Amino acid sequence: MKKVLRIAILFILIISFENCATIFSGSKTMISINTIPEGAKVQINGIEKGITPVKVILKKKIFKNNVTVTKEGYQSKNFKLKREFNFISVLNLFNWIGWGIDYLTGSVMSFNPKYYEEKLELLKK
């Protein structure tokens, strides 16, 4: 009976640590983008997201996010949102199911920084 109880407790512990990063940090993040001067159009992966200053909720997908900011009379700027490993994922330990879920939801990565400010330069005439 004790052996069955130990196995049940071990099973519950393993299940409770599945997809830790997805549970603890979610699969989406809010990113703030601003420009100097304000009022630039923001596109992420070719999709318009608003006018600066803007806050955008993004999925933590594995693929890179390319940002373009444009404003009439100024040079356009392109940059990539930076990401880093989300250390909460380590709580999955040897649980491959948890790692798989965190990878598919993008939760193994996190955006850092969460605030971007780009200085736009006037077009040369």
Side-chain angles (χ1 to χ4, degrees), residues 6 8-10 19 23 25 31 37 63 67 74 81 101-102 104 107 120 122:
R6 286 182 187 166
I9 290 171
L10 182 63
N19 60 26
I23 292 171
S25 64
I31 303 293
F63 308 106
V67 179
Y74 291 85
L81 298 179
I101 291 170
D102 284 350
L104 291 173
S107 295
L120 301 178
L122 284 168

Side-chain angles (χ1 to χ4, degrees), residues 5 19 23 28 30-31 37-38 55 60 62 67 72 76 81 92 102 106-107 122:
L5 182 61
N19 60 26
I23 292 171
K28 296 179 182 179
M30 183 179 295
I31 303 293
E38 295 179 349
K55 292 182 180 182
K60 297 179 186 175
I62 299 305
V67 179
E72 192 172 318
S76 297
L81 298 179
N92 286 315
D102 284 350
S107 295
L122 284 168

Side-chain angles (χ1 to χ4, degrees), residues 42-49 65-68:
V42 176
Q43 290 184 331
I44 300 178
N45 299 327
I47 300 170
E48 190 169 334
K49 296 295 184 175
N65 289 292
N66 299 309
V67 179
T68 303

Side-chain angles (χ1 to χ4, degrees), residues 10 12 38 45 53 63 67 71 78 82 95 114:
L10 182 63
I12 290 169
E38 295 179 349
N45 299 327
F63 308 106
V67 179
K71 182 174 173 102
N78 298 306
K82 296 176 183 139
N95 184 344
K114 293 182 178 151

Side-chain angles (χ1 to χ4, degrees), residues 104-118:
L104 291 173
T105 63
S107 295
V108 294
M109 303 300 283
S110 62
F111 290 106
N112 191 24
K114 293 182 178 151
Y115 177 78
Y116 292 84
E117 185 169 87
E118 296 293 324

Side-chain angles (χ1 to χ4, degrees), residues 70-106:
T70 55
K71 182 174 173 102
E72 192 172 318
Y74 291 85
Q75 292 180 3
S76 297
K77 256 210 173 151
N78 298 306
F79 61 95
K80 294 182 192 287
L81 298 179
K82 296 176 183 139
R83 298 172 308 139
E84 61 185 22
F85 180 72
N86 185 355
F87 286 99
I88 294 175
S89 296
V90 174
L91 294 176
N92 286 315
L93 299 174
F94 300 107
N95 184 344
W96 296 108
I97 294 170
W99 280 109
I101 291 170
D102 284 350
Y103 181 80
L104 291 173
T105 63

Side-chain angles (χ1 to χ4, degrees), residues 4-63:
V4 173
L5 182 61
R6 286 182 187 166
I7 292 172
I9 290 171
L10 182 63
F11 180 74
I12 290 169
L13 285 173
I14 289 172
I15 295 297
S16 67
F17 283 116
E18 274 190 31
N19 60 26
C20 283
T22 303
I23 292 171
F24 292 123
S25 64
S27 60
K28 296 179 182 179
T29 299
M30 183 179 295
I31 303 293
S32 298
I33 301 172
N34 196 12
T35 55
I36 300 171
E38 295 179 349
K41 181 172 67 170
V42 176
Q43 290 184 331
I44 300 178
N45 299 327
I47 300 170
E48 190 169 334
K49 296 295 184 175
I51 305 295
T52 60
V54 65
K55 292 182 180 182
V56 181
I57 296 176
L58 296 174
K59 290 184 178 181
K60 297 179 186 175
K61 57 186 180 178
I62 299 305
F63 308 106

